Amino acid sequence: MSDKRTWPALEPALFVASLVVYVAGTPLGLDRVAAASNVAFALDATSQGPGTPLALLASRLVGTLPLGDAAARANLAAALWAAVATALVGRLCADLLAALRPPAHARQGARDFVYEPWLAAGAALAGGLSLATFQSATSAGAASATLALLAGAWLAALPLLRGQGGARHGFVLAGLSGLAAGVDALAGPLLWPLTFGVWLWELHRGSRWPLWAPLLFVAALGGSLLGSVAASGIPVNLGHLFGSLWPSGMHDQVTAVGTAIELCDELGVVGLLLAGVGTFALLRRAPLVASWFGFTLVTALLLGHAPAQSGPAFEPTRAGLPAALMAAAVPLSAGAAAVASRLGRARMVTAIVLAALAVVSPVLDGGTSRWRRDVHGPERLLEHALMRAPLRASVDPGTAEMDGLLRYGAALGLRPDLEIVHRK
């Protein structure tokens, strides 16, 4: 979002590269019972889906493509959102490295910083191809759309945090903050407090755009809420509607520590060391940027959970760990730049080696399990449930998981004689 973009080919290259990897790992079927309601809504707009209109809209659009079955197309829509998020994080890292360059002098030129896009790409791929992010990117749901929206907001906020942004960046940040109501509830705690702080700071500085930004925020928020009501397919009151914008609460200390350990395992030793060096570099040279991403990382860990946990109860915070991994890409790139910039003519080779080492550990994490996901479990569960149901019966799912699975079967045209009801 900076006015002078460096390395304009970085985003398309990252988008294509990450999308190819995501598509290669996208399961050709329903890999999670919790994703059944998303796929059901993509098949039939009358189905009761979660109130995440941005993700559901992408699923409906991709669902028109003649590729695979409905579940595979919904997974592909998530992969597209995740590829956008990876490309935006790469641009964010590149803009930050350009802003942190030392003052120019006669012996420095553009070719002296040609190593920066390698570091930005390596940091973005380290966060985008880590196990938690990869699983979210290749499975239907709103987690990938949440990551893309957060990455766009971070990119818009960077010039403002550096004191170089204008009205364009402020309006984009306000609009994306309002659209946070159209994705997972995790986006609100990660975005709204920091956006409000930037708004107050710019208002104190005498900028004019904060006078109009609340109108754009309210308009985007209202549109997202209307889309959420339309997507949910069920009547809701105002209390339930606004309550769904915020997660139910932070996890206990044991869960948060376990999520932090999972993040360290997925980043790897090299990534952690570079992120540590980059944190100190950002605190010294860009304290506001370090504070923004430090708050984001800690809050995401407190609200997120490990990939092993799944189910509708965890869906609103499923993007927590991936968001923390994406946020960690910023100090990682800064740390790698701090190391490579001190090696003179060897900085180009050093940057390539550091970028490769930062990506290797996240990519290898999980082994073959990330490429061979079981898609038969949900199908067997649905088949068993439909076989046990009598003809023309009224079926009470009992749980949110079975409700989504039965609606998924109804959207596929299986057992049209059954009626799904909820008995209190």
Side-chain angles (χ1 to χ4, degrees):
M1 297 298 298
S2 60
D3 294 329
K4 185 179 180 181
R5 296 174 64 226
T6 58
W7 319 109
L10 179 62
E11 299 103 298
L14 278 175
F15 176 81
V16 172
S18 58
L19 183 60
V20 169
V21 178
Y22 291 147
V23 171
T26 299
L28 300 178
L30 194 66
D31 66 324
R32 299 181 305 120
V33 176
S37 57
N38 297 79
V39 183
F41 187 86
L43 285 169
D44 184 6
T46 61
S47 299
Q48 296 180 3
T52 53
L54 294 183
L56 293 174
L57 177 61
S59 298
R60 297 281 292 184
L61 293 176
V62 178
T64 60
L65 300 177
L67 299 172
D69 60 1
R73 293 193 291 270
N75 296 337
L76 179 60
L80 288 171
W81 277 118
V84 171
T86 304
L88 292 176
V89 170
R91 167 51 51 191
L92 171 68
C93 294
D95 286 353
L96 179 62
L97 294 182
L100 295 179
R101 289 175 183 174
H105 55 77
R107 295 184 179 181
Q108 287 182 328
R111 63 181 182 179
D112 294 314
F113 302 100
V114 73
Y115 64 92
E116 289 180 351
W118 293 93
L119 298 178
L125 291 175
L129 298 182
S130 56
L131 183 61
T133 310
F134 186 88
Q135 290 182 349
S136 299
T138 55
S139 181
S144 295
T146 305
L147 295 179
L149 185 138
L150 288 174
W154 298 341
L155 189 57
L158 179 61
L160 297 172
L161 297 175
R162 297 287 298 165
Q164 302 170 350
R168 178 167 62 93
H169 305 100
F171 290 147
V172 171
L173 180 60
L176 291 177
S177 298
L179 290 177
V183 292
D184 282 333
L186 180 83
L190 296 183
L191 198 55
W192 291 340
L194 298 175
T195 302
F196 182 69
V198 171
W199 178 78
L200 287 179
W201 174 250
E202 289 292 328
L203 194 64
H204 175 72
R205 292 179 58 192
S207 302
R208 293 186 178 181
W209 68 263
L211 301 176
W212 298 97
L215 297 178
L216 182 60
F217 171 80
V218 172
L221 181 68
S224 299
L225 291 177
L226 290 176
S228 299
V229 173
S232 64
I234 55 177
V236 293
N237 53 41
L238 288 179
H240 179 273
L241 184 64
F242 286 101
S244 64
L245 300 179
W246 205 265
S248 58
M250 294 187 177
H251 302 310
D252 55 38
Q253 183 177 359
V254 176
T255 304
V257 171
T259 307
I261 294 175
E262 179 68 22
L263 179 139
C264 296
D265 290 340
E266 295 191 15
L267 276 184
V269 176
V270 175
L272 285 176
L273 290 176
L274 293 177
V277 174
T279 300
F280 286 108
L282 289 177
L283 286 173
R284 181 171 57 90
R285 303 188 58 186
L288 288 180
V289 177
S291 300
W292 179 292
F293 286 97
F295 175 88
T296 300
L297 193 147
V298 172
T299 306
L301 290 178
L302 291 174
L303 293 173
H305 60 271
Q309 297 172 321
S310 61
F314 291 99
E315 280 296 300
T317 57
R318 184 166 173 259
L321 182 56
L325 288 164
M326 288 293 198
V330 174
L332 195 156
S333 64
V339 174
S341 61
R342 299 178 181 273
L343 298 179
R345 295 182 179 180
R347 55 178 172 262
M348 183 63 183
V349 177
T350 304
I352 296 176
V353 172
L354 290 177
L357 291 176
V359 175
V360 165
S361 181
V363 170
L364 296 180
D365 187 25
T368 59
S369 62
R370 69 162 65 195
W371 309 102
R372 299 176 181 177
R373 306 244 282 282
D374 182 22
V375 297
H376 302 294
E379 294 178 0
R380 293 193 188 99
L381 183 59
L382 175 62
E383 181 181 359
H384 182 67
L386 295 180
M387 288 180 61
R388 294 184 59 185
L391 290 175
R392 302 186 185 87
S394 297
V395 181
D396 182 7
T399 62
E401 292 92 338
M402 286 306 303
D403 179 75
L405 198 60
L406 289 176
R407 293 187 185 280
Y408 168 68
L412 290 176
L414 304 177
R415 294 296 304 270
D417 60 303
L418 298 181
E419 180 186 4
I420 302 175
V421 297
H422 293 274
R423 300 185 180 93
K424 296 183 180 180

